[in-house]
Amino acid sequence: MKVFDSIKDLQQYLADAKWENKTIGLVPTMGALHKGHESLVRRSAKENDECVVSVFVNPTQFNDKNDLITYPRTVEKDCELLEAAGCTVAFIPSEKEMYPKPDTRVFKLGAVAEVMEGPRRPGHFNGVAQIVSKLFDIVKPDNAYFGEKDFQQIAVIRQMVKLLNLPVNIVACPIVRESDGLALSSRNTRLTEEQRKKAPVIAQTLRESVTFAAHKSVKEVIDYVINTINSVPDMEVEYYEIVDGYSMQPIQHWSETAYPVGCITVYCGKVRLIDNIAYGK
Ligand code: AMP
């Protein structure tokens, strides 16, 4: 596995690969890698000749500066995981390398970015669009891999790709979970032992709600999920919305979409956890 911290060196290496007609897959990450990231890397390595993984804690997507400061950084361990998963190129730039000047671009991401995470994390999706568009421009991947754990983020990236007419195929990969259902996340390490025991109630409640959704209204399902999770001490739902899985717009009736997806954000103590589930309507 090659490791680059310079854009120029990375591009020189990739120019040779492109000249040899090799396909390039890109997996953007912020490090603190776990099996969720690993599944994206393995898929990219399987489907492309070169598997590029970026590890960069992107400051412009953090609306909470404390979250940025305390974000876990485990570069050496990350490199071991990447090598074992089939990554051929790790790109680990400094902040100066990615942002030699402040990025003042404002993306018109439209309705997909104006619901759920959008208003609750002001500037977050614009920051994601800034870093991902830079990475796409530098790497020029054929395929780019994102996890469905950040469900709305995928819709935002697809919107950005459309907006900029970028020739990249966006591949959405399923959520990887712990055996008790908790979606893997770098933030799980911040949970206390007690909170870690409670956190699986999120995924378990979502799964339960799918089993009886056929006989219930959208509102009944939403109320069930919110009330069940809120009844657990130390857990508070920030929002639970059932949306059209393409447009991200909330639905009132199942008949409004062929692809209903429930998206949730829960505070477990001070740790903000997200998850989602598709309703097979
Ligand atoms: P992050 O490092 O948190 O920015 O995540 C990098 C990529 O890994 C994003 O596309 C995430 O959606 C994806 N990812 C994070 N956790 C998981 C998971 N549990 N399952 C699948 N993909 C994930």
PDB file of all heavy atoms in Angstrom, residues 243-264:
ATOM      1  N   VAL A 243     -39.037   9.168   5.339  1.00  0.00           N
ATOM      2  CA  VAL A 243     -38.886  10.001   4.136  1.00  0.00           C
ATOM      3  C   VAL A 243     -38.889   9.139   2.876  1.00  0.00           C
ATOM      4  O   VAL A 243     -38.702   7.921   2.938  1.00  0.00           O
ATOM      5  CB  VAL A 243     -37.554  10.805   4.191  1.00  0.00           C
ATOM      6  CG1 VAL A 243     -37.503  11.689   5.440  1.00  0.00           C
ATOM      7  CG2 VAL A 243     -36.332   9.885   4.153  1.00  0.00           C
ATOM      8  N   ASP A 244     -39.073   9.798   1.748  1.00  0.00           N
ATOM      9  CA  ASP A 244     -38.849   9.134   0.468  1.00  0.00           C
ATOM     10  C   ASP A 244     -37.330   8.950   0.343  1.00  0.00           C
ATOM     11  O   ASP A 244     -36.574   9.924   0.467  1.00  0.00           O
ATOM     12  CB  ASP A 244     -39.394  10.002  -0.672  1.00  0.00           C
ATOM     13  CG  ASP A 244     -38.924   9.499  -2.015  1.00  0.00           C
ATOM     14  OD1 ASP A 244     -39.308   8.386  -2.391  1.00  0.00           O
ATOM     15  OD2 ASP A 244     -38.123  10.199  -2.682  1.00  0.00           O
ATOM     16  N   GLY A 245     -36.892   7.729   0.104  1.00  0.00           N
ATOM     17  CA  GLY A 245     -35.465   7.408   0.124  1.00  0.00           C
ATOM     18  C   GLY A 245     -34.639   8.072  -0.961  1.00  0.00           C
ATOM     19  O   GLY A 245     -33.407   7.979  -0.932  1.00  0.00           O
ATOM     20  N   TYR A 246     -35.288   8.727  -1.911  1.00  0.00           N
ATOM     21  CA  TYR A 246     -34.538   9.435  -2.956  1.00  0.00           C
ATOM     22  C   TYR A 246     -34.513  10.946  -2.700  1.00  0.00           C
ATOM     23  O   TYR A 246     -33.468  11.579  -2.745  1.00  0.00           O
ATOM     24  CB  TYR A 246     -35.149   9.165  -4.339  1.00  0.00           C
ATOM     25  CG  TYR A 246     -35.171   7.697  -4.683  1.00  0.00           C
ATOM     26  CD1 TYR A 246     -36.378   6.978  -4.670  1.00  0.00           C
ATOM     27  CD2 TYR A 246     -33.998   7.016  -4.985  1.00  0.00           C
ATOM     28  CE1 TYR A 246     -36.392   5.620  -4.950  1.00  0.00           C
ATOM     29  CE2 TYR A 246     -34.012   5.656  -5.268  1.00  0.00           C
ATOM     30  CZ  TYR A 246     -35.219   4.963  -5.250  1.00  0.00           C
ATOM     31  OH  TYR A 246     -35.231   3.621  -5.521  1.00  0.00           O
ATOM     32  N   SER A 247     -35.702  11.496  -2.426  1.00  0.00           N
ATOM     33  CA  SER A 247     -35.790  12.967  -2.298  1.00  0.00           C
ATOM     34  C   SER A 247     -35.517  13.447  -0.876  1.00  0.00           C
ATOM     35  O   SER A 247     -35.308  14.619  -0.641  1.00  0.00           O
ATOM     36  CB  SER A 247     -37.182  13.443  -2.716  1.00  0.00           C
ATOM     37  OG  SER A 247     -38.143  13.036  -1.753  1.00  0.00           O
ATOM     38  N   MET A 248     -35.559  12.538   0.083  1.00  0.00           N
ATOM     39  CA  MET A 248     -35.370  12.841   1.515  1.00  0.00           C
ATOM     40  C   MET A 248     -36.546  13.617   2.109  1.00  0.00           C
ATOM     41  O   MET A 248     -36.485  14.067   3.242  1.00  0.00           O
ATOM     42  CB  MET A 248     -34.073  13.638   1.788  1.00  0.00           C
ATOM     43  CG  MET A 248     -32.806  12.954   1.418  1.00  0.00           C
ATOM     44  SD  MET A 248     -32.519  11.470   2.393  1.00  0.00           S
ATOM     45  CE  MET A 248     -32.575  10.260   1.103  1.00  0.00           C
ATOM     46  N   GLN A 249     -37.634  13.769   1.356  1.00  0.00           N
ATOM     47  CA  GLN A 249     -38.759  14.544   1.880  1.00  0.00           C
ATOM     48  C   GLN A 249     -39.659  13.657   2.730  1.00  0.00           C
ATOM     49  O   GLN A 249     -39.977  12.522   2.349  1.00  0.00           O
ATOM     50  CB  GLN A 249     -39.559  15.182   0.731  1.00  0.00           C
ATOM     51  CG  GLN A 249     -38.727  16.120  -0.145  1.00  0.00           C
ATOM     52  CD  GLN A 249     -37.900  17.116   0.662  1.00  0.00           C
ATOM     53  OE1 GLN A 249     -38.448  17.975   1.346  1.00  0.00           O
ATOM     54  NE2 GLN A 249     -36.573  16.997   0.610  1.00  0.00           N
ATOM     55  N   PRO A 250     -40.064  14.159   3.917  1.00  0.00           N
ATOM     56  CA  PRO A 250     -40.917  13.381   4.809  1.00  0.00           C
ATOM     57  C   PRO A 250     -42.237  13.013   4.132  1.00  0.00           C
ATOM     58  O   PRO A 250     -42.775  13.818   3.355  1.00  0.00           O
ATOM     59  CB  PRO A 250     -41.178  14.337   5.982  1.00  0.00           C
ATOM     60  CG  PRO A 250     -40.096  15.353   5.912  1.00  0.00           C
ATOM     61  CD  PRO A 250     -39.711  15.471   4.477  1.00  0.00           C
ATOM     62  N   ILE A 251     -42.707  11.812   4.442  1.00  0.00           N
ATOM     63  CA  ILE A 251     -44.009  11.398   3.906  1.00  0.00           C
ATOM     64  C   ILE A 251     -45.034  11.356   5.049  1.00  0.00           C
ATOM     65  O   ILE A 251     -44.666  11.192   6.214  1.00  0.00           O
ATOM     66  CB  ILE A 251     -43.947  10.022   3.206  1.00  0.00           C
ATOM     67  CG1 ILE A 251     -43.441   8.928   4.181  1.00  0.00           C
ATOM     68  CG2 ILE A 251     -43.052  10.078   1.982  1.00  0.00           C
ATOM     69  CD1 ILE A 251     -43.721   7.520   3.694  1.00  0.00           C
ATOM     70  N   GLN A 252     -46.314  11.507   4.682  1.00  0.00           N
ATOM     71  CA  GLN A 252     -47.403  11.373   5.659  1.00  0.00           C
ATOM     72  C   GLN A 252     -48.114  10.034   5.492  1.00  0.00           C
ATOM     73  O   GLN A 252     -48.674   9.493   6.429  1.00  0.00           O
ATOM     74  CB  GLN A 252     -48.427  12.505   5.477  1.00  0.00           C
ATOM     75  CG  GLN A 252     -48.239  13.667   6.460  1.00  0.00           C
ATOM     76  CD  GLN A 252     -47.178  14.630   5.957  1.00  0.00           C
ATOM     77  OE1 GLN A 252     -47.261  15.066   4.810  1.00  0.00           O
ATOM     78  NE2 GLN A 252     -46.195  14.936   6.774  1.00  0.00           N
ATOM     79  N   HIS A 253     -48.089   9.540   4.238  1.00  0.00           N
ATOM     80  CA  HIS A 253     -48.793   8.284   3.925  1.00  0.00           C
ATOM     81  C   HIS A 253     -47.845   7.355   3.159  1.00  0.00           C
ATOM     82  O   HIS A 253     -47.052   7.822   2.340  1.00  0.00           O
ATOM     83  CB  HIS A 253     -50.033   8.567   3.063  1.00  0.00           C
ATOM     84  CG  HIS A 253     -50.939   9.577   3.695  1.00  0.00           C
ATOM     85  ND1 HIS A 253     -51.772   9.265   4.746  1.00  0.00           N
ATOM     86  CD2 HIS A 253     -51.115  10.901   3.447  1.00  0.00           C
ATOM     87  CE1 HIS A 253     -52.430  10.352   5.119  1.00  0.00           C
ATOM     88  NE2 HIS A 253     -52.045  11.354   4.349  1.00  0.00           N
ATOM     89  N   TRP A 254     -47.967   6.062   3.454  1.00  0.00           N
ATOM     90  CA  TRP A 254     -47.086   5.077   2.801  1.00  0.00           C
ATOM     91  C   TRP A 254     -47.186   5.151   1.285  1.00  0.00           C
ATOM     92  O   TRP A 254     -46.208   4.893   0.577  1.00  0.00           O
ATOM     93  CB  TRP A 254     -47.432   3.664   3.273  1.00  0.00           C
ATOM     94  CG  TRP A 254     -47.241   3.444   4.746  1.00  0.00           C
ATOM     95  CD1 TRP A 254     -48.214   3.195   5.660  1.00  0.00           C
ATOM     96  CD2 TRP A 254     -46.012   3.459   5.480  1.00  0.00           C
ATOM     97  NE1 TRP A 254     -47.677   3.052   6.917  1.00  0.00           N
ATOM     98  CE2 TRP A 254     -46.324   3.205   6.842  1.00  0.00           C
ATOM     99  CE3 TRP A 254     -44.676   3.652   5.139  1.00  0.00           C
ATOM    100  CZ2 TRP A 254     -45.348   3.142   7.841  1.00  0.00           C
ATOM    101  CZ3 TRP A 254     -43.703   3.591   6.136  1.00  0.00           C
ATOM    102  CH2 TRP A 254     -44.047   3.348   7.457  1.00  0.00           C
ATOM    103  N   SER A 255     -48.371   5.494   0.782  1.00  0.00           N
ATOM    104  CA  SER A 255     -48.591   5.485  -0.673  1.00  0.00           C
ATOM    105  C   SER A 255     -47.774   6.560  -1.396  1.00  0.00           C
ATOM    106  O   SER A 255     -47.674   6.549  -2.627  1.00  0.00           O
ATOM    107  CB  SER A 255     -50.075   5.713  -0.966  1.00  0.00           C
ATOM    108  OG  SER A 255     -50.467   6.948  -0.398  1.00  0.00           O
ATOM    109  N   GLU A 256     -47.152   7.473  -0.634  1.00  0.00           N
ATOM    110  CA  GLU A 256     -46.416   8.568  -1.281  1.00  0.00           C
ATOM    111  C   GLU A 256     -45.089   8.124  -1.897  1.00  0.00           C
ATOM    112  O   GLU A 256     -44.479   8.867  -2.670  1.00  0.00           O
ATOM    113  CB  GLU A 256     -46.144   9.694  -0.269  1.00  0.00           C
ATOM    114  CG  GLU A 256     -47.389  10.500   0.078  1.00  0.00           C
ATOM    115  CD  GLU A 256     -47.136  11.427   1.256  1.00  0.00           C
ATOM    116  OE1 GLU A 256     -46.098  12.118   1.274  1.00  0.00           O
ATOM    117  OE2 GLU A 256     -47.973  11.445   2.180  1.00  0.00           O
ATOM    118  N   THR A 257     -44.591   6.953  -1.502  1.00  0.00           N
ATOM    119  CA  THR A 257     -43.292   6.519  -2.035  1.00  0.00           C
ATOM    120  C   THR A 257     -43.205   5.001  -2.097  1.00  0.00           C
ATOM    121  O   THR A 257     -43.832   4.292  -1.296  1.00  0.00           O
ATOM    122  CB  THR A 257     -42.121   7.038  -1.164  1.00  0.00           C
ATOM    123  OG1 THR A 257     -40.893   6.493  -1.664  1.00  0.00           O
ATOM    124  CG2 THR A 257     -42.267   6.631   0.297  1.00  0.00           C
ATOM    125  N   ALA A 258     -42.391   4.512  -3.043  1.00  0.00           N
ATOM    126  CA  ALA A 258     -42.131   3.073  -3.116  1.00  0.00           C
ATOM    127  C   ALA A 258     -40.907   2.732  -2.270  1.00  0.00           C
ATOM    128  O   ALA A 258     -40.525   1.565  -2.150  1.00  0.00           O
ATOM    129  CB  ALA A 258     -41.891   2.685  -4.570  1.00  0.00           C
ATOM    130  N   TYR A 259     -40.266   3.743  -1.716  1.00  0.00           N
ATOM    131  CA  TYR A 259     -39.007   3.523  -0.994  1.00  0.00           C
ATOM    132  C   TYR A 259     -38.998   4.351   0.297  1.00  0.00           C
ATOM    133  O   TYR A 259     -38.267   5.325   0.407  1.00  0.00           O
ATOM    134  CB  TYR A 259     -37.834   3.911  -1.916  1.00  0.00           C
ATOM    135  CG  TYR A 259     -36.448   3.649  -1.366  1.00  0.00           C
ATOM    136  CD1 TYR A 259     -36.186   2.658  -0.428  1.00  0.00           C
ATOM    137  CD2 TYR A 259     -35.370   4.413  -1.817  1.00  0.00           C
ATOM    138  CE1 TYR A 259     -34.908   2.438   0.056  1.00  0.00           C
ATOM    139  CE2 TYR A 259     -34.073   4.198  -1.341  1.00  0.00           C
ATOM    140  CZ  TYR A 259     -33.854   3.209  -0.408  1.00  0.00           C
ATOM    141  OH  TYR A 259     -32.580   3.002   0.063  1.00  0.00           O
ATOM    142  N   PRO A 260     -39.830   3.950   1.297  1.00  0.00           N
ATOM    143  CA  PRO A 260     -39.831   4.699   2.557  1.00  0.00           C
ATOM    144  C   PRO A 260     -38.641   4.313   3.442  1.00  0.00           C
ATOM    145  O   PRO A 260     -38.366   3.127   3.615  1.00  0.00           O
ATOM    146  CB  PRO A 260     -41.147   4.274   3.236  1.00  0.00           C
ATOM    147  CG  PRO A 260     -41.694   3.143   2.430  1.00  0.00           C
ATOM    148  CD  PRO A 260     -40.760   2.805   1.319  1.00  0.00           C
ATOM    149  N   VAL A 261     -37.968   5.304   3.969  1.00  0.00           N
ATOM    150  CA  VAL A 261     -36.828   5.054   4.857  1.00  0.00           C
ATOM    151  C   VAL A 261     -37.001   5.902   6.115  1.00  0.00           C
ATOM    152  O   VAL A 261     -37.288   7.097   6.033  1.00  0.00           O
ATOM    153  CB  VAL A 261     -35.481   5.418   4.166  1.00  0.00           C
ATOM    154  CG1 VAL A 261     -34.302   5.195   5.118  1.00  0.00           C
ATOM    155  CG2 VAL A 261     -35.295   4.585   2.905  1.00  0.00           C
ATOM    156  N   GLY A 262     -36.848   5.249   7.265  1.00  0.00           N
ATOM    157  CA  GLY A 262     -36.937   5.963   8.537  1.00  0.00           C
ATOM    158  C   GLY A 262     -35.547   6.393   8.975  1.00  0.00           C
ATOM    159  O   GLY A 262     -34.637   5.563   9.044  1.00  0.00           O
ATOM    160  N   CYS A 263     -35.389   7.687   9.255  1.00  0.00           N
ATOM    161  CA  CYS A 263     -34.072   8.213   9.643  1.00  0.00           C
ATOM    162  C   CYS A 263     -34.156   8.777  11.052  1.00  0.00           C
ATOM    163  O   CYS A 263     -35.044   9.580  11.348  1.00  0.00           O
ATOM    164  CB  CYS A 263     -33.634   9.326   8.691  1.00  0.00           C
ATOM    165  SG  CYS A 263     -33.454   8.773   6.994  1.00  0.00           S
ATOM    166  N   ILE A 264     -33.209   8.358  11.885  1.00  0.00           N
ATOM    167  CA  ILE A 264     -33.276   8.759  13.304  1.00  0.00           C
ATOM    168  C   ILE A 264     -31.956   9.338  13.800  1.00  0.00           C
ATOM    169  O   ILE A 264     -30.883   8.929  13.351  1.00  0.00           O
ATOM    170  CB  ILE A 264     -33.681   7.552  14.178  1.00  0.00           C
ATOM    171  CG1 ILE A 264     -34.138   8.024  15.553  1.00  0.00           C
ATOM    172  CG2 ILE A 264     -32.547   6.533  14.309  1.00  0.00           C
ATOM    173  CD1 ILE A 264     -34.981   7.004  16.287  1.00  0.00           C
TER     174      ILE A 264
END
